[in-house]
Amino acid sequence: MPVNIEAVGRAYGPHEPYEVTRIKIREFADAVDARSFAHLSEEAARAEGYPDVVAPTTFAVVIAQQAEFHVVVDPEVGVDFSRVVHADERFTHHRPIIAGDLISSTVHIDSITQRGGISMVTTRTELVDADGKPVSTVVSTLAVREEAS
């Protein structure tokens, strides 16, 4: 069964704030082999002009994927996660993510296109800080294979 195209325009959130910590940043930096000392050391980050340890640019995906989970588990959308392949991920950063940030997320289903037995589901997750100011926009596309008839 294909993904429900009537889900386009739905929004989920804002979700409970994600607390960005130095440990989470360091673990992510290690996992993606980000080598800047500004990801690891407060002193190095401050020397580069940041108030605290700064996250690698792709760290926003950690928060965005938690929000996108709400789309995947919504039975009215109809995404069968066992049939998903991640197709695309794009980031627009409005400011760096820094240790100590509390970031809330809202995910929007921007489009669903279907052809050749595949539904392409594009979401946009808006990340904002505790003051409601934009931090990052994450656009993600999932390819969802339909079951063979």
Side-chain angles (χ1 to χ4, degrees):
M1 186 155 180
V3 173
N4 178 8
I5 60 171
E6 292 180 11
V8 172
R10 288 188 187 180
Y12 304 78
H15 301 289
E16 182 177 333
Y18 179 96
E19 183 178 355
V20 179
T21 67
R22 292 178 188 131
I23 291 171
K24 290 176 185 173
I25 290 173
R26 289 176 185 135
E27 288 173 346
F28 186 85
D30 185 49
V32 300
D33 202 26
R35 297 182 179 267
S36 171
F37 287 113
H39 305 316
L40 310 173
S41 160
E42 296 168 64
E43 191 175 300
R46 287 193 176 103
E48 291 187 27
Y50 300 106
D52 206 324
V53 175
V54 62
T57 56
T58 54
F59 184 86
V61 76
V62 172
I63 306 164
Q65 284 186 343
Q66 289 181 1
E68 292 162 5
F69 178 74
H70 295 277
V71 172
V72 173
V73 299
D74 183 345
E76 292 182 15
V77 178
V79 172
D80 177 351
F81 198 70
S82 71
R83 306 183 80 63
V84 167
V85 174
H86 193 264
D88 187 39
E89 194 92 40
R90 289 174 278 140
F91 302 89
T92 302
H93 298 292
H94 308 291
R95 70 158 178 84
I97 295 174
I98 306 292
D101 279 339
L102 288 174
I103 298 180
S104 296
S105 59
T106 301
V107 62
H108 306 265
I109 301 175
D110 282 350
S111 70
I112 299 172
T113 56
Q114 298 172 327
R115 62 176 84 84
I118 295 176
S119 295
M120 301 296 283
V121 180
T122 300
T123 60
R124 172 179 39 89
T125 305
E126 299 292 347
L127 306 181
V128 299
D129 64 20
D131 296 323
K133 293 182 178 160
V135 176
S136 296
T137 301
V138 182
V139 176
S140 178
T141 302
L142 302 176
V144 185
R145 294 176 292 118
E146 295 173 19
E147 290 189 43
S149 340

